Amino acid sequence: MAYVDLDPMVLSHARALLAGPGVAAVAADLRDPAAVLADPDLRAVIDPAEPVCVILGAVLHFLDADTAREVTAEYARLIAPGSCLIIAPIYESRQKAKL
């Protein structure tokens, strides 16, 4: 498993929490799928030539719509056949709950 983030503080916490065999916390920009998938720390635990699961969890809302579309398409293009690409957006209800 690889966790990818750009924020050094978040990565520091991730490395502490996720320490163990088969796990990597990678300093990379999700907007550059080729660089993410080529990162040596990621490749130490994941072989992108084999089917993988990429989860874009609660991150695409930070990007404008065109960039989010391009990034998603690029991950889909770069991962091996048989892989999964999961898009998990944040949902914000602007309606008040009825009490």
Side-chain angles (χ1 to χ4, degrees):
M1 184 199 81
Y3 172 80
V4 178
D5 207 303
L6 248 174
D7 185 314
M9 184 62 73
V10 172
L11 281 167
S12 175
H13 289 285
R15 287 183 177 119
L17 293 170
L18 301 174
V23 181
V26 176
D29 188 337
L30 77 98
R31 295 170 296 182
D32 188 354
V36 170
L37 296 175
D39 184 275
D41 291 335
L42 181 136
R43 287 182 168 265
V45 295
I46 295 174
D47 180 359
E50 296 291 325
V52 298
C53 179
V54 174
I55 302 172
L56 298 172
V59 294
L60 293 177
H61 65 280
F62 291 113
L63 308 176
D64 64 74
D66 289 338
T67 302
R69 200 171 12 262
E70 290 167 8
V71 165
T72 303
E74 188 67 3
Y75 277 107
R77 187 182 74 74
L78 291 173
I79 57 179
S83 294
C84 295
L85 178 61
I86 298 172
I87 300 167
I90 285 186
Y91 170 76
E92 180 184 343
S93 175
R94 296 193 185 264
Q95 296 179 343
K96 293 191 180 217
K98 293 181 181 179
L99 300 178

